[in-house]
Structures are given as C-alpha cells and as structure tokens.
Amino acid sequence: MQIEPGETIAYLGLGSNEGDRAAALEQALVALERTPGVRLLRRSTWVETELVGDGPAQGTFLNGVAELATRLAPVALLAICKELERAAGRTLPAARNHPRPLDLDVLAHGSVTIDSRELTVPHREWHRREFVTAPLAELGVDTATWRRWEPPQVLGTAAGLAALTTNWRTGGCSIGLVPTMGALHAGHRSLIDRARRECDRVAVTIFVNPLQFGAGEDLAAYPRGLERDVALCREAGADAVFTPSPEAMYDPGFASRIRVGHAASGMEGAERPEHFEGVATVVAKLLAIARPDRAYFGEKDAQQLAVIRRLVRDLGFPVTVVPCAIVREADGLAMSSRNIYLDAADRVASTVLCRALRRVDAAFVAGERDHGTLVQLARDEIATEPRGVIDYVELRSETDLTELPAGAIAADVAAAGVRMLVAVRFARGPRPVRLLDNLRLGAGCAGDAGADVGAGSDSAAAGTDA
Ligand code: AMP
C-alpha cells in the first residue's frame, strides 16, 4: 500500500437501494478517484443486504467499502461524500431509513476519533453492521484499533465528564444533563427521553448526594443499583453516565455551600433544614462541570425545581432548566425511588395523595377559588386514609411557589397558575416513608411539561401533570 507524505488512509462505506444501484456505486468510485486529494486504493465487491432498522418498505441494498489515501480532513471528506450523494439524486437532509440512490459514510480516517454534531469517526455503527464489517474483512482491514462506540460512557471523575462535554461542545453538539440519584424508574426515563429528543448529546448523572441527606435520614439505605441504571440509560440512548463516588465530588477540604433563600423555605425546606442547600450545591457543581445547554428536572419535586430555577437565575448559569411532567403508576401514585419502601397496605393507601389532588383539581375546575376550602378538601380526602399522616398541604403560585394569601384566589393569580403540593407520611411499614405529590390546578391531566425559553432562563409556565 503506497502512502505519500500528507496522506491518511480512510475508509468509506457505500450503499444504494434505489435506481441502478451498481451503476451509482461505480460512478461514486470514479468521482472519488477524480477528486483532488483523494486516491482510491482498493474497493470491496458489492454485497446484497436488507435494510437495517425500521423504515418504509423498500428494495434491498448493494453495499461495500472503499479504501482511500486522502489529503482531506475528515469534514472535507464528508463534504465530498454529501456532494456525491446529491449528484446521484439524493435529497439532503435525508429522511431516516428512506430509499436512497447513494449513501456514503466516512467509516474511519487514520486513527482519528471525532464525536461532533456532523460527524462521528470511526462511524458510530460500523461494528454493528455486517454490510460494513464483511467488506472490510474481504479487504483484510485490521479494525482491531478502531474505536467501537458502546454508549453510555460511564465516568467516575469530574475531570472525565468535563473533558467529554468540552469535546462535545467543541464539536457543535448541544448537551442535555439529567441529574438523578439513581434507582431509575419510568419517571427518570421520561427525563432522559426528553433530553434525547432535544439535545445532540445526553449525560445522566447518578449520585446519591450525601450533602442533601440530614442526620438520621436514609442515606445509607437509599436504593442503589448501578448496573440496572446503566442498562436503562443505554436503552434510553444516553451518551454518558456520570457516577462519581462521594470522595470524587467532595474532596476532604470541600467547604462550599450554596444556600437558596425563599424558594427553599417552608414545605420540604422546613422538614429537611439542610436538604436544599445540599441540592443546590450539587446541582451547581454538576452544571459547572458539564456546562449543559439544557438540564432536566421533574415536577415531581416541585420545590426542588423552584430552588434550581432560582439558583440558575441568581448565579447566571447559562442553562435552560426544563421542567418535566410527573410520571405516575397506573393507579396514580407518583413514581419515586422510595416507593419500594412501602409495605403492601401502605402501597394501597398511598394513592390517597393523587386522589386528594384530583378532588381539589375538580373543585378548582368547577370554579372553587377559596384558598382555605381547597386546602381543606385535600386534607379531608387524605384523612380518609388512616395510615397516612399529613406533613403539609399547600397551595402556592405556579411561577415561583410563593405562598398565596388566605381568602379568595385573585383571578390574575389563578390565571398565572396555582399548584397544590402535599407531603404525607406513612410510618406503619418496616421503614417510614414520606410521599410527595403535587398538581397544577386546572391544567388538565394530558400534556407534557411546559416549553422553555433560551439559555440562562427557563419557563415560569410549568406544564401539566401526566
Ligand atoms: P431523584 O433520583 O429522585 O433525585 O430524581 C431525579 C430527577 O427525576 C428529579 O428531577 C426528579 O424530580 C425526577 N423524577 C423523580 N420521579 C419522577 C417522576 N415520577 N416523574 C417525573 N420526574 C421524576
């Protein structure tokens, strides 16, 4: 194999399943040979293959690979490929998995690794596609050193996550961050799914943050299951999982805390005095490490969401906070990692939270606007379940969860949105459990959490409850 100075060996994947397939592939090779800075060294034979993945009914493909010596950088080679695809009659950007007269992929380019918005090299799927590996094997290409992308990358250090996200950002990728404490369930999954839809790259953090647990709380007993969690992240298409040890997040000299004022007082803040300081500190640190464009939080923890919105606004983190609707069990219980602590009788009783919220919601929709009456309705409903002991029932403004005055809710306040938040303690099982739930009144049960605006801000209008 003759390589001249300045040249790199690169491999292209070629495919066609529309029109005169063989002619399209041969013409592409001729065009490549005529391209300045590209020399065709070898090519495989064409193999007949079926479409991989979903797509409309369509003909089979002819596929193969070409080995080039090129002076072109990977992006320049990609640009040539796109040009040839267009010349062959392909409309770009192309619909996924639709028939195409010509499809050219940069499979590898020397030993370079690229993970950018427009290009992943080696190709993200090369090792999973027989129509690529078989033609490479026919040419005897040694692919042992080619990177195999097996997302998610699991990272344990802040430096590792920062390096990865910096690389993504440099490559023009938007980044979504989903902070969690693990023991992932469908609620977490909905956050990851949304991030996947909205961002080029998604990092999930799994960290049971000691700073947000008070003395005597369930830090040691908090459910953990990293292997299962990573599998869920993989299935959801997350690119990275950040799972640091407490020591990796907080070195022995760690001495900083972030205290968010009003949003963190009352409700959970009253019940768990240092909780939100721990939450704000860890979220600020995660935002600083990963520098995401968008960060996803559940309305399930509505006060936490309010604290984080305040934190982001106050400290100017250039991130959009995305609120995500509550995901519930079929019987209405809001999903939570701690639900596994409920014994069978408490599990049955636990649906009283959502029943109470729905009863209040129905009254609100019917026109009830008296603050005290709405709160009492919830209290009465919860009182029908003797296993549950109320910690609080609160009616708050939707915008920032500030308290509402007694008496009638003003029309403009009601129009801007009000949210009822409840916490109920179930203490008869082997381990006491506090359940939280909340609902924006009058918003209906369908729909997704609200849209949001640009970086550095977030929508005040959270969405409806699912
Ligand atoms: P956690 O692991 O409990 O700290 O939760 C991580 C994130 O997932 C937080 O933003 C939670 O609000 C969110 N989350 C937890 N449970 C649910 C749920 N049932 N529906 C939607 N989001 C949730």
Side-chain angles (χ1 to χ4, degrees):
M1 198 179 326
Q2 288 298 316
I3 297 293
E4 292 166 10
E7 284 185 334
T8 302
I9 299 282
Y11 292 90
L12 295 187
L14 301 90
S16 168
N17 76 335
E18 202 176 50
D20 188 339
R21 302 170 305 163
L25 298 179
E26 296 295 340
Q27 273 167 24
L29 291 181
V30 171
L32 280 166
E33 273 184 305
R34 289 190 187 140
T35 303
V38 176
R39 287 193 301 125
L40 178 64
L41 299 180
R42 295 186 296 160
R43 42 79 59 91
S44 70
T45 53
W46 308 130
V47 292
E48 184 100 31
T49 61
E50 297 287 339
L51 173 75
V52 174
D54 305 328
Q58 55 194 281
T60 55
F61 281 81
L62 276 190
N63 286 106
V65 303
E67 182 182 69
L68 314 175
T70 183
R71 297 177 188 283
L72 301 181
V75 276
L77 187 56
L78 177 73
I80 298 290
C81 291
K82 297 284 158 224
E83 214 173 287
L84 294 180
E85 286 178 356
R86 261 189 224 102
R90 189 171 185 195
T91 327
L92 294 174
R96 214 177 127 68
N97 285 348
H98 275 248
R100 60 209 87 160
L102 183 64
D103 191 353
L104 297 177
D105 290 328
V106 178
L107 298 175
H109 191 285
S111 57
V112 80
T113 299
I114 301 172
D115 187 11
S116 74
R117 184 156 208 265
E118 53 183 347
L119 188 61
T120 305
V121 178
H123 192 279
R124 198 171 282 283
E125 301 288 331
W126 75 267
H127 55 293
R128 282 186 275 271
R129 293 178 170 176
E130 210 197 330
F131 63 81
V132 170
T133 53
L136 286 171
E138 179 195 335
L139 297 186
V141 178
D142 178 9
T143 55
T145 59
W146 287 26
R147 168 141 187 189
R148 290 163 186 259
W149 302 89
E150 303 283 5
Q153 290 188 59
V154 180
L155 305 152
T157 65
L161 179 64
L164 182 68
T165 53
T166 299
N167 189 33
W168 286 343
R169 202 170 309 107
T170 310
C173 298
S174 62
I175 299 168
L177 187 75
V178 184
T180 80
M181 296 207 297
L184 302 182
H185 51 66
H188 300 110
R189 170 76 193 245
S190 73
L191 271 55
I192 305 171
D193 287 344
R194 182 150 180 201
R196 182 69 285 165
R197 288 197 298 276
E198 296 178 348
C199 304
D200 296 315
R201 298 289 182 272
V202 175
V204 178
T205 73
I206 295 177
F207 180 54
V208 183
N209 173 32
L211 291 192
Q212 70 191 67
F213 286 78
E217 289 187 359
D218 60 346
L219 173 62
Y222 194 84
R224 289 165 171 87
L226 187 60
E227 218 170 290
R228 222 189 113 263
D229 287 347
V230 171
L232 183 144
C233 291
R234 180 177 301 119
E235 202 186 295
D239 298 288
V241 173
F242 179 49
T243 170
S245 63
E247 299 72 36
M249 282 297 270
Y250 306 123
D251 70 48
F254 191 91
S256 303
R257 294 288 186 282
I258 295 180
R259 193 164 57 76
V260 178
H262 185 261
S265 63
M267 298 190 288
E268 292 308 292
E271 189 63 33
R272 308 175 70 189
E274 280 158 36
H275 175 65
F276 286 125
E277 202 171 283
V279 169
T281 303
V282 77
V283 169
K285 180 152 186 167
L286 292 171
L287 294 176
I289 296 169
R291 291 188 288 147
D293 299 277
R294 297 164 78 80
Y296 295 80
F297 295 93
E299 288 180 345
K300 162 73 172 45
D301 301 288
Q303 193 178 8
Q304 169 175 285
L305 178 60
V307 166
I308 289 162
R309 285 172 148 161
R310 196 66 258 173
L311 165 82
V312 162
R313 218 171 271 170
D314 289 353
L315 300 189
F317 282 101
V319 64
T320 297
V321 173
V322 183
C324 299
I326 299 176
V327 175
R328 299 177 179 281
E329 303 286 355
D331 62 6
L333 174 65
M335 289 193 181
S336 161
S337 303
R338 288 190 173 99
N339 288 352
I340 57 161
Y341 293 158
L342 293 166
D343 70 2
D346 281 348
R347 174 65 188 81
V348 172
S350 66
T351 56
V352 76
L353 280 82
C354 122
R355 280 205 309 279
L357 291 172
R358 286 177 181 165
R359 187 168 164 199
V360 172
D361 186 50
F364 184 86
V365 169
E368 179 59 65
R369 289 293 181 272
D370 183 66
H371 187 160
T373 306
L374 291 166
V375 168
Q376 195 55 47
L377 266 179
R379 287 187 165 273
D380 289 349
E381 184 66 37
I382 297 168
T384 63
E385 185 40 78
R387 296 181 74 91
V389 177
I390 295 174
D391 263 356
Y392 58 78
V393 174
E394 298 267 346
L395 203 53
R396 298 281 180 118
S397 79
E398 174 64 6
T399 36
D400 51 7
L401 295 191
T402 46
E403 289 174 44
L404 300 178
I409 302 168
D412 59 331
V413 174
V418 291
R419 187 170 286 262
M420 177 162 275
L421 303 95
V422 300
V424 179
R425 195 179 292 269
F426 292 84
R428 298 198 196 175
R431 180 185 297 283
V433 190
R434 280 178 78 246
L435 296 182
L436 309 185
D437 204 345
N438 63 83
L439 187 69
R440 180 178 176 176
L441 301 186
C445 286
D448 199 357
D452 52 277
V453 293
S457 183
D458 68 280
S459 167
T464 56
D465 196 357

